Amino acid sequence: MAGMAGRMSTVVKSKISRLLDRAEDPGETLDYSYQKQLESLQNVKKGIADVVTAKKRLGMQASKLEQSVVKLDTQARQAMSAGNEELARTALERKQLAQTELQGLDQQVAELQSQQEKLTESEKRLRSKIEAFRTKKEVIKAQYSAADAQVRISEAATGVGEEMADVGLAMQRAVDKTEDMRARASAVEELEAAGTFEDLTQLGSGSDDIDRELAEIGAGGAVDDELAKLKSELGTGSAAPQGELESGGEQK
Amino acid sequence: MGEGQYRLGEEAVERVNALDNDAVAAVEGDDEDAFHVAFEQLLELIRTEGEHLHDDDLEASDVIVPPADITFVEAAKDFTGDGLIPD
């Protein structure tokens, strides 16, 4: 027996034939079927709107994070030129964290974008099919002759039904993806609420929970690299007693 | 595959069926790369050899092909036994 996809088409067909069997008047069946199709189309439109909303929300978070990255970078520079390496390190660590989040978000936004395009395309196709069905049902009603009408109704309805099942499947996948992203979005919001990406000047000297969180992220290596880069960029003119800084001074 | 309906000639169907069987073999052998290779060839074959039906054509499909961005886990449900096309 065929796989899942084959089963899906079988399900569509049997649902439709059941629908057709129930009705005595094919004209009524056709109108009812058309109503159902329009309802499904509405649901698809609603689904697309949901995806668009989720995408916008993630986009807004991404731009907030971008601002944080710029700000933290500036702060790191300021701290470094003031000779406060600890503060610079903290700023860079947060910048790393924000950047990692940002990358994830950008990718998700791109994914949602492609889902949205596909769904819009499917929605357009479904609309054409439903429109064709509307025309066809009027023709069938007009030239109604029992046996022949049953066959044609069934064929027409199956064509729409399959497209609907197809769009339904795409919808389901988009909804699943959107759910994942919602979870991610609230995670980022929590980090924001916890002040992870916030202005360093608003903080006291060493807030332990943030330090711990940052340590977990394990962005240490990248931060060291950037710190070294900053040092060399700024020429490390300011007084800094650590030996590390001498290597910074050796730059070309 | 979420891309509308295609009509295929008999010869093309045979080639699609062969790729379909390859895909099933790949899923059974737990070979994700081989599956994607076979499945992408299958889609490409349908797109190039198939005649794309108008959006307002109302015809029943013989086979419904899963979407292009199918994951290996999802594929395990679709590509079993004879695959999409019964042999």
XYZ file of all heavy atoms in Angstrom, chain A residues 11-59:
385
model
N -8.163 9.430 1.952
C -9.032 10.027 2.958
C -9.877 11.126 2.335
O -11.083 11.210 2.536
C -8.195 10.595 4.130
C -9.057 11.433 5.042
C -7.564 9.451 4.911
N -9.217 11.965 1.544
C -9.940 13.051 0.884
C -11.068 12.484 0.044
O -12.207 12.934 0.104
C -8.982 13.874 0.000
C -9.771 14.814 -0.897
C -8.011 14.656 0.851
N -10.739 11.462 -0.725
C -11.743 10.898 -1.624
C -12.912 10.291 -0.865
O -14.067 10.482 -1.219
C -11.114 9.841 -2.541
C -10.407 10.489 -3.709
C -9.592 9.498 -4.507
C -8.680 10.235 -5.462
N -7.575 9.433 -5.940
N -12.608 9.558 0.210
C -13.694 8.893 0.916
C -14.566 9.918 1.633
O -15.780 9.778 1.697
C -13.151 7.864 1.900
O -12.554 8.490 2.992
N -13.956 10.983 2.153
C -14.735 12.029 2.812
C -15.716 12.633 1.823
O -16.866 12.886 2.134
C -13.807 13.133 3.334
C -13.511 12.984 4.798
C -12.870 14.244 5.339
C -12.271 13.973 6.701
N -11.170 14.855 7.008
N -15.207 12.884 0.633
C -16.048 13.525 -0.368
C -17.178 12.613 -0.810
O -18.326 13.023 -0.920
C -15.197 13.975 -1.570
C -14.385 15.189 -1.151
C -16.072 14.321 -2.762
C -13.210 15.460 -2.026
N -16.851 11.316 -0.989
C -17.920 10.436 -1.463
C -18.983 10.257 -0.393
O -20.164 10.133 -0.697
C -17.359 9.094 -1.931
O -16.691 8.466 -0.896
N -18.550 10.305 0.874
C -19.535 10.209 1.949
C -20.467 11.420 1.906
O -21.676 11.324 2.051
C -18.844 10.122 3.306
C -19.392 8.974 4.152
C -18.773 8.938 5.537
N -17.314 8.887 5.475
C -16.519 9.611 6.262
N -17.025 10.455 7.136
N -15.219 9.493 6.167
N -19.839 12.553 1.684
C -20.591 13.798 1.597
C -21.610 13.723 0.465
O -22.761 14.132 0.601
C -19.606 14.942 1.342
C -20.128 16.368 1.438
C -20.418 16.701 2.887
C -19.103 17.321 0.878
N -21.170 13.150 -0.649
C -22.035 13.091 -1.822
C -23.171 12.082 -1.625
O -24.294 12.307 -2.054
C -21.227 12.706 -3.058
C -20.227 13.754 -3.520
C -19.426 13.230 -4.692
C -20.914 15.057 -3.890
N -22.855 10.974 -0.922
C -23.861 9.945 -0.711
C -25.003 10.454 0.148
O -26.151 10.069 -0.023
C -23.229 8.724 -0.026
C -22.360 7.964 -0.999
O -22.480 8.229 -2.207
O -21.553 7.122 -0.553
N -24.636 11.317 1.097
C -25.608 11.741 2.086
C -26.733 12.559 1.440
O -27.872 12.498 1.836
C -24.914 12.528 3.190
C -25.533 12.276 4.542
C -24.976 13.224 5.586
N -23.525 13.182 5.656
C -22.783 14.261 5.854
N -23.332 15.450 5.947
N -21.481 14.162 5.938
N -26.357 13.349 0.478
C -27.331 14.278 -0.075
C -28.176 13.628 -1.165
O -27.677 12.853 -1.969
C -26.612 15.478 -0.633
N -29.425 13.982 -1.168
C -30.312 13.442 -2.190
C -30.285 14.344 -3.413
O -30.344 13.888 -4.539
C -31.729 13.356 -1.637
C -31.747 12.856 -0.191
C -32.736 11.756 0.028
O -33.875 11.923 -0.400
O -32.345 10.722 0.629
N -30.204 15.612 -3.141
C -30.213 16.565 -4.234
C -28.781 17.034 -4.505
O -28.170 17.678 -3.660
C -31.101 17.745 -3.826
C -31.081 18.844 -4.869
O -30.461 18.633 -5.933
O -31.665 19.901 -4.608
N -28.235 16.686 -5.655
C -26.855 17.058 -5.955
C -26.645 18.576 -5.962
O -25.574 19.055 -5.620
C -26.604 16.457 -7.332
C -27.909 16.019 -7.857
C -28.860 15.926 -6.730
N -27.685 19.302 -6.319
C -27.572 20.763 -6.305
C -27.267 21.263 -4.909
O -26.377 22.087 -4.696
N -27.958 20.663 -3.924
C -27.750 21.042 -2.529
C -26.331 20.672 -2.088
O -25.653 21.440 -1.426
C -28.748 20.290 -1.664
C -29.528 21.161 -0.712
C -30.633 20.359 -0.067
O -30.298 19.453 0.728
O -31.816 20.599 -0.380
N -25.939 19.445 -2.451
C -24.593 18.984 -2.094
C -23.535 19.942 -2.611
O -22.596 20.297 -1.904
C -24.287 17.615 -2.747
O -25.411 16.796 -2.598
C -23.071 16.994 -2.134
N -23.726 20.333 -3.855
C -22.740 21.211 -4.472
C -22.658 22.545 -3.740
O -21.566 23.044 -3.454
C -23.102 21.436 -5.938
C -22.821 20.255 -6.853
C -23.489 20.453 -8.191
C -21.321 20.079 -7.026
N -23.826 23.093 -3.405
C -23.823 24.376 -2.696
C -23.197 24.244 -1.323
O -22.420 25.079 -0.891
C -25.251 24.916 -2.566
C -25.791 25.389 -3.910
O -24.950 25.738 -4.767
O -27.023 25.390 -4.104
N -23.539 23.146 -0.655
C -22.991 22.896 0.680
C -21.465 22.754 0.610
O -20.729 23.363 1.392
C -23.604 21.621 1.255
C -23.057 21.230 2.599
C -23.376 21.978 3.737
C -22.210 20.133 2.745
C -22.868 21.633 4.969
C -21.704 19.777 3.974
C -22.033 20.531 5.080
O -21.524 20.192 6.297
N -21.035 21.961 -0.370
C -19.603 21.743 -0.551
C -18.889 23.071 -0.817
O -17.820 23.344 -0.273
C -19.392 20.778 -1.717
O -18.032 20.552 -1.915
N -19.522 23.908 -1.625
C -18.944 25.205 -1.948
C -18.826 26.073 -0.690
O -17.803 26.717 -0.460
C -19.820 25.891 -3.008
C -19.335 27.246 -3.426
C -18.093 27.398 -4.044
C -20.109 28.377 -3.209
C -17.640 28.646 -4.427
C -19.664 29.633 -3.587
C -18.436 29.760 -4.195
O -17.988 30.985 -4.573
N -19.868 26.054 0.145
C -19.820 26.793 1.405
C -18.635 26.339 2.253
O -17.879 27.143 2.790
C -21.110 26.561 2.215
C -22.275 27.430 1.784
C -21.894 28.892 1.746
O -21.215 29.378 2.646
N -22.293 29.592 0.693
N -18.478 25.015 2.353
C -17.392 24.435 3.149
C -16.037 24.886 2.611
O -15.115 25.196 3.359
C -17.468 22.900 3.117
C -18.557 22.337 3.977
C -18.061 22.217 5.409
C -19.236 22.257 6.383
N -18.920 22.834 7.676
N -15.958 24.898 1.294
C -14.691 25.313 0.674
C -14.363 26.757 1.023
O -13.218 27.089 1.330
C -14.780 25.148 -0.844
C -14.775 23.696 -1.273
C -15.176 23.542 -2.713
O -15.249 24.508 -3.462
N -15.461 22.322 -3.118
N -15.387 27.609 0.969
C -15.158 29.009 1.306
C -14.713 29.162 2.756
O -13.825 29.956 3.075
C -16.426 29.844 1.065
C -16.800 30.068 -0.401
C -18.032 30.944 -0.490
C -15.654 30.714 -1.166
N -15.321 28.347 3.631
C -14.919 28.384 5.040
C -13.454 28.000 5.190
O -12.703 28.641 5.923
C -15.779 27.428 5.872
C -17.092 28.027 6.300
C -18.025 26.968 6.890
O -17.531 25.992 7.498
O -19.254 27.123 6.716
N -13.057 26.939 4.492
C -11.655 26.502 4.566
C -10.727 27.598 4.078
O -9.663 27.830 4.652
C -11.427 25.263 3.722
O -12.269 24.247 4.134
N -11.142 28.267 3.023
C -10.320 29.340 2.478
C -10.145 30.447 3.523
O -9.043 30.998 3.683
C -10.968 29.891 1.205
C -10.142 30.884 0.401
C -8.865 30.237 -0.087
C -10.940 31.412 -0.785
N -11.221 30.744 4.245
C -11.127 31.742 5.307
C -10.098 31.321 6.350
O -9.304 32.130 6.818
C -12.494 31.927 5.998
C -13.463 32.809 5.220
C -12.842 34.151 4.875
O -12.176 34.764 5.700
N -13.032 34.606 3.641
N -10.141 30.033 6.706
C -9.186 29.528 7.699
C -7.755 29.659 7.223
O -6.859 29.990 7.998
C -9.479 28.063 8.023
C -10.648 27.933 8.955
O -10.939 28.860 9.711
N -11.331 26.803 8.901
N -7.555 29.386 5.945
C -6.205 29.508 5.392
C -5.743 30.966 5.493
O -4.621 31.250 5.899
C -6.168 29.028 3.926
C -4.845 29.377 3.289
C -6.408 27.536 3.853
N -6.655 31.882 5.165
C -6.299 33.298 5.250
C -5.935 33.687 6.677
O -4.985 34.419 6.912
C -7.468 34.158 4.776
C -7.545 34.204 3.259
C -8.608 35.180 2.819
C -8.766 35.140 1.316
N -10.097 35.568 0.898
N -6.710 33.172 7.624
C -6.423 33.451 9.032
C -5.035 32.917 9.397
O -4.268 33.568 10.093
C -7.486 32.803 9.922
C -8.397 33.828 10.588
C -9.321 33.141 11.572
C -10.719 33.003 11.003
N -11.559 32.010 11.660
N -4.765 31.706 8.917
C -3.465 31.091 9.196
C -2.319 31.933 8.663
O -1.305 32.113 9.337
N -2.490 32.443 7.468
C -1.437 33.284 6.887
C -1.249 34.539 7.730
O -0.119 34.955 8.004
C -1.781 33.645 5.425
C -1.771 32.370 4.564
C -0.776 34.648 4.873
C -2.189 32.584 3.136
N -2.366 35.108 8.171
C -2.268 36.301 9.020
C -1.481 36.000 10.292
O -0.667 36.817 10.743
C -3.662 36.809 9.366
N -1.686 34.808 10.859
C -0.939 34.412 12.059
C 0.553 34.361 11.793
O 1.364 34.817 12.602
C -1.380 33.019 12.536
C -2.669 33.096 13.329
O -3.091 34.220 13.626
O -3.230 32.024 13.630
N 0.901 33.782 10.658
C 2.319 33.671 10.315
C 2.931 35.066 10.154
O 4.024 35.344 10.638
C 2.508 32.854 9.015
C 3.951 32.892 8.552
C 2.073 31.414 9.236
N 2.178 35.953 9.483
C 2.676 37.322 9.292
C 2.881 38.013 10.633
O 3.898 38.680 10.859
C 1.698 38.129 8.407
C 2.092 39.594 8.360
C 1.662 37.557 7.001
N 1.933 37.809 11.545
C 2.049 38.432 12.862
C 3.288 37.929 13.595
O 4.055 38.717 14.156
C 0.805 38.107 13.722
O -0.350 38.385 12.953
C 0.799 38.925 14.989
N 3.474 36.631 13.574
C 4.637 36.050 14.243
C 5.925 36.605 13.649
O 6.884 36.916 14.365
C 4.606 34.533 14.120
N 5.937 36.742 12.337
C 7.131 37.242 11.662
C 7.430 38.684 12.083
O 8.566 39.023 12.369
C 6.916 37.163 10.143
C 8.195 37.224 9.352
C 7.913 37.282 7.879
C 7.408 38.639 7.492
N 7.010 38.750 6.091
N 6.381 39.484 12.138
C 6.560 40.888 12.541
C 7.118 40.982 13.948
O 8.008 41.791 14.228
C 5.205 41.610 12.503
C 4.899 42.192 11.153
C 3.931 43.354 11.288
C 3.466 43.798 9.928
N 2.016 43.766 9.785
N 6.578 40.138 14.818
C 7.003 40.196 16.198
C 8.492 39.854 16.314
O 9.254 40.517 17.005
C 6.171 39.215 17.011
C 6.410 39.323 18.477
C 5.368 38.547 19.234
N 5.803 38.389 20.608
C 5.506 37.320 21.330
N 4.810 36.343 20.806
N 5.920 37.236 22.568
N 8.883 38.796 15.617
C 10.292 38.398 15.642
C 11.164 39.494 15.032
O 12.265 39.766 15.515
C 10.493 37.093 14.874
C 9.963 35.836 15.550
C 10.162 34.644 14.640
C 10.655 35.599 16.867
N 10.656 40.126 13.972
C 11.408 41.202 13.339
C 11.650 42.357 14.296
O 12.735 42.938 14.342
